Amino acid sequence: MNKKIGILRGINVGGKRKILMADLKLLCEKLGMENVKTYIQSGNLIFNSDKQGFELENALEKGIAQEFGFDVPVIVRTEKELETSINNNSFYDKDVDISQLHLTFLKEKPAKQHIDKVSSLDHEPDKFKIKDKDVFILCEGKYHKSKLSNSFFEKQLKVGATTRNWKTVLKLLELAKN
């Protein structure tokens, strides 16, 4: 069985689309995932499965809709993909305050013309870099005040997205390795 990381978008935010992690874990087990762990209430999963990412994304999205009555976008990465993402972040070095770093996970690799368009827009004081299915963000201030939100990248890149702070990204890899 291969280690996978599931990242759900927009649950348990402001009392909306509420899912208890114990209930999410049970749903994952019903869907055939093994050794399921959750991390914090924002919808982070670590589990074992031999299924491919898109199969797991679809199964989780359908299962959540049936079980809880609302749509939740899900992005799945392998342990190796998450490790590669961490290694690809050129903003991540010993001198940076990791509270300024965020990773926006993209559902799929965006088209070059969309990347070119978003890259030409003014984002100051914040910076970002797109590599494959990841957007690495360096926020000078608070992320919730940045122009570089999930909605911004979904609209500009024409793909689904969800963002995690760097501390969470590192913790997800740590949990996947244990």
Side-chain angles (χ1 to χ4, degrees):
M1 290 267 182
N2 297 314
K3 222 32 115 64
K4 303 283 196 308
I5 295 91
I7 307 143
L8 285 64
R9 174 156 185 214
I11 66 164
N12 300 333
V13 178
K16 295 187 173 127
R17 298 191 330 164
K18 193 169 170 99
I19 301 176
L20 297 175
M21 292 302 97
D23 295 338
L24 182 59
K25 182 178 178 183
L26 285 173
L27 173 64
C28 290
E29 290 167 349
K30 278 198 262 183
L31 294 171
M33 297 164 206
E34 296 180 6
N35 302 316
V36 179
K37 294 184 257 181
T38 63
Y39 176 67
I40 64 178
Q41 297 297 311
S42 59
N44 302 292
L45 298 164
I46 298 93
F47 56 89
N48 291 340
S49 177
D50 286 332
K51 293 182 180 176
Q52 298 297 313
F54 66 90
E55 290 178 86
L56 293 164
E57 291 169 351
N58 290 337
L60 277 164
E61 288 172 356
K62 287 178 185 173
I64 290 168
Q66 290 171 347
E67 187 81 15
F68 303 105
F70 46 83
D71 294 328
V72 174
V74 177
I75 295 175
V76 173
R77 296 285 197 271
T78 65
E79 177 185 344
K80 180 69 177 153
E81 287 172 326
L82 184 60
E83 189 169 28
T84 298
S85 294
I86 289 169
N87 292 332
N88 282 340
N89 188 349
S90 60
F91 298 127
Y92 183 45
D93 66 36
K94 63 179 173 35
D95 297 325
V96 72
D97 175 0
I98 69 166
S99 70
Q100 296 179 308
L101 299 178
H102 304 273
L103 175 54
T104 297
F105 296 91
L106 302 175
K107 191 94 161 163
E108 59 195 67
K109 189 174 177 179
K112 185 181 180 327
Q113 72 263 26
H114 300 311
I115 294 171
D116 291 345
K117 180 183 174 191
V118 75
S119 297
S120 70
L121 301 173
D122 180 21
H123 315 97
E124 293 299 327
D126 303 326
K127 299 178 178 92
F128 75 93
K129 293 182 182 172
I130 300 171
K131 175 127 173 98
D132 299 320
K133 296 190 295 183
D134 297 321
V135 181
F136 303 102
I137 301 170
L138 175 65
C139 286
E140 293 297 319
K142 301 287 184 187
Y143 175 75
H144 73 274
K145 293 183 178 181
S146 175
K147 297 175 191 175
L148 305 177
S149 66
N150 283 325
S151 298
F152 172 80
F153 285 113
E154 285 181 326
K155 181 179 177 188
Q156 297 298 323
L157 298 175
K158 312 287 190 238
V159 298
T162 191
T163 301
R164 295 297 185 268
N165 66 51
W166 200 248
K167 181 179 173 186
T168 297
V169 171
L170 295 175
K171 185 65 175 182
L172 290 172
L173 182 61
E174 177 188 321
L175 291 169
K177 288 187 171 293
N178 293 329

